[in-house]
């Protein structure tokens, strides 16, 4: 460990200390019992850099439900499989609506605003279900390879809870099907979507597995191409405008990085040319974003001068 390592880890620990009581300002997702049982006081942060360094503090090795962060992996897989034709079925515009809203989808004839709201992620799940013979296994294998960890798994309790309480997602999928924008059978699409949401990963695993998005599509550890440079650009662009749902504008103001949140309390942020930050704290604000996670992202970005808008 060199002096820089020690310095950044000390900074991360200090940021966590400053946030110690702020988790009380949020509310843990309780729409499914499996998420409501997580300890609200857990919090962690990690930074992985494209030159091979890693820094972590707090509960950065504790696995949590990645939920909507899975939409990033799904989009990359779908673009790798069907290329730019995906943009005929989903757009790349901010929605200005909650992540699970259905109203816009009818007005816009079953074409989701972007791939990281629920309707868009269901569309992506349809692409994966239709183009892979075993899409859930292919997804898990993709994530395990990126994280270089065969132990990453699907939390079956979360999966079953999602399935049981997934009526709104089912409604979104059936509405898109009625417009001819879903190919596979709806139960298969939903099963794929809930499976990817139910994967458990830690801040450390998420930060390292997404390094390719900070490095023009190439995994800096293996030098393997995970997606094209154009697709890495597109994913980062969508995460900049829509990754934090209808708090994406505020996130751009206070942080200034492409990012994605999940209702498990995780947030990942891509720093092109530098690395990936992942923060986790389960209690959420009214938009579905982690309260402490938002604060940690703002503080670390300020501290290190990482905003892409500087
Ligand atoms: O679709 C759902 O309800 C969840 N499985 C995923 C939601 C999610 O993480 C949205 N994000 N903030």
């Amino acid at each position: 460990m060199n002096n820089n390592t020690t310095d950044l880890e000390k900074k991360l620990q200090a940021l966590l200390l400053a946030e110690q009581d702020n988790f009380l300002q949020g509310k843990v997702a309780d729409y499914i019992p499996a998420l409501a049982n997580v300890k609200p006081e857990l919090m962690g942060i990690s930074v992985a850099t494209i030159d091979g360094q890693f820094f972590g503090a707090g509960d950065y090795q504790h696995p949590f439900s990645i939920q909507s962060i899975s939409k990033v992996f799904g989009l990359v897989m779908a673009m790798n499989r069907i290329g730019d034709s995906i943009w005929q079925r989903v757009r790349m515009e901010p929605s200005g609506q909650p992540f699970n809203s259905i109203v816009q989808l009818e007005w816009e004839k079953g074409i989701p605003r972007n791939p990281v709201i629920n309707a868009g992620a269901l569309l992506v799940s349809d692409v994966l279900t239709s183009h892979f013979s075993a899409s859930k296994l292919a997804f898990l294998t993709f994530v395990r390879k990126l994280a270089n960890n065969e132990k990453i798994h699907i939390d079956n309790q979360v999966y079953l809870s999602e399935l049981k309480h997934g009526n709104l997602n089912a409604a979104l999928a059936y509405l898109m099907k009625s417009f001819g924008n879903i190919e596979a059978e709806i139960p298969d699409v939903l099963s794929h979507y809930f499976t990817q949401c139910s994967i458990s990963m830690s801040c450390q695993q998420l930060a390292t597995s997404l390094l390719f998005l900070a490095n023009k599509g190439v995994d800096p550890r293996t030098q393997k191409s995970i997606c094209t440079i154009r697709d890495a650009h597109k994913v980062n662009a969508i995460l900049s405008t829509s990754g934090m749902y209808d708090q994406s504008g505020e996130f751009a103001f206070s942080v200034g990085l492409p990012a994605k949140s999940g209702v498990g309390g995780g947030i990942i942020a891509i720093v092109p040319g530098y690395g990936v930050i992942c923060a986790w704290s389960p209690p959420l604000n009214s938009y579905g974003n982690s309260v402490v996670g938002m604060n940690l992202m703002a503080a670390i970005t300020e501290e290190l001068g990482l905003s892409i808008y500087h």
Side-chain angles (χ1 to χ4, degrees), residues 31-32 35 65-71 99-100 116 118 122 158 162 165-166 169 193-194 197-198 243 245 260-264 266 284 287-289:
Y31 71 100
I32 55 170
L35 286 181
S65 191
I66 68 169
Q67 291 293 322
S68 283
I69 298 173
S70 68
K71 292 169 182 171
F99 62 83
N100 51 6
V116 292
N118 280 16
L122 287 160
V158 174
E162 298 266 5
H165 296 87
N169 283 313
Y193 174 65
F194 294 138
C197 286
S198 305
Y245 304 111
K260 184 76 207 81
S261 58
V263 293
L284 309 176
Y287 298 96
N289 294 323

Side-chain angles (χ1 to χ4, degrees), residues 14 51 61 65 72 76-77 79 102 113 125 127 147 157 169 172 176 189 191 194 200 212 223-224 236 242 256 262 273:
D51 63 4
Q61 288 173 311
S65 191
V72 182
V76 172
M77 281 181 79
M79 288 195 300
I102 197 166
R113 273 287 171 112
S125 297
V127 171
Q157 224 193 328
N169 283 313
L172 290 165
M176 286 191 284
V189 174
S191 178
F194 294 138
S200 293
F212 69 97
Q223 293 306 317
K224 274 195 186 139
N236 287 335
S242 309

Side-chain angles (χ1 to χ4, degrees), residues 2 6 49 51 67 82 84 86 89 106 115 138 142 145 192 205 266 304 308:
N2 59 31
T6 314
T49 68
D51 63 4
Q67 291 293 322
I82 67 165
D84 277 347
I86 192 167
R89 296 173 60 191
E106 186 183 3
F142 183 59
K145 258 205 187 113
H192 175 96
Q205 291 163 346
L304 301 180
I308 58 171

Side-chain angles (χ1 to χ4, degrees), residues 27 68 96-100 242-251 260-263 283-291 294:
K27 192 166 171 289
S68 283
Q97 301 289 328
F99 62 83
N100 51 6
S242 309
M244 303 297 290
Y245 304 111
D246 46 342
Q247 207 176 14
S248 296
E250 193 181 324
F251 195 82
K260 184 76 207 81
S261 58
V263 293
L284 309 176
N285 62 23
S286 58
Y287 298 96
N289 294 323
S290 167
V291 172
M294 293 280 291

Side-chain angles (χ1 to χ4, degrees), residues 216-285:
K216 302 181 176 174
V218 175
D219 187 330
R221 298 159 300 176
T222 59
Q223 293 306 317
K224 274 195 186 139
S225 171
I226 307 301
C227 68
T228 65
I229 182 169
R230 282 177 64 240
D231 284 349
H233 170 103
K234 286 174 189 165
V235 175
N236 287 335
I238 282 170
L239 297 188
S240 295
T241 55
S242 309
M244 303 297 290
Y245 304 111
D246 46 342
Q247 207 176 14
S248 296
E250 193 181 324
F251 195 82
F253 265 40
S254 60
V255 180
L257 291 172
K260 184 76 207 81
S261 58
V263 293
I267 303 178
I268 58 93
I270 312 296
V271 193
Y274 174 80
V276 179
I277 307 168
C278 180
W280 173 56
S281 160
L284 309 176
N285 62 23

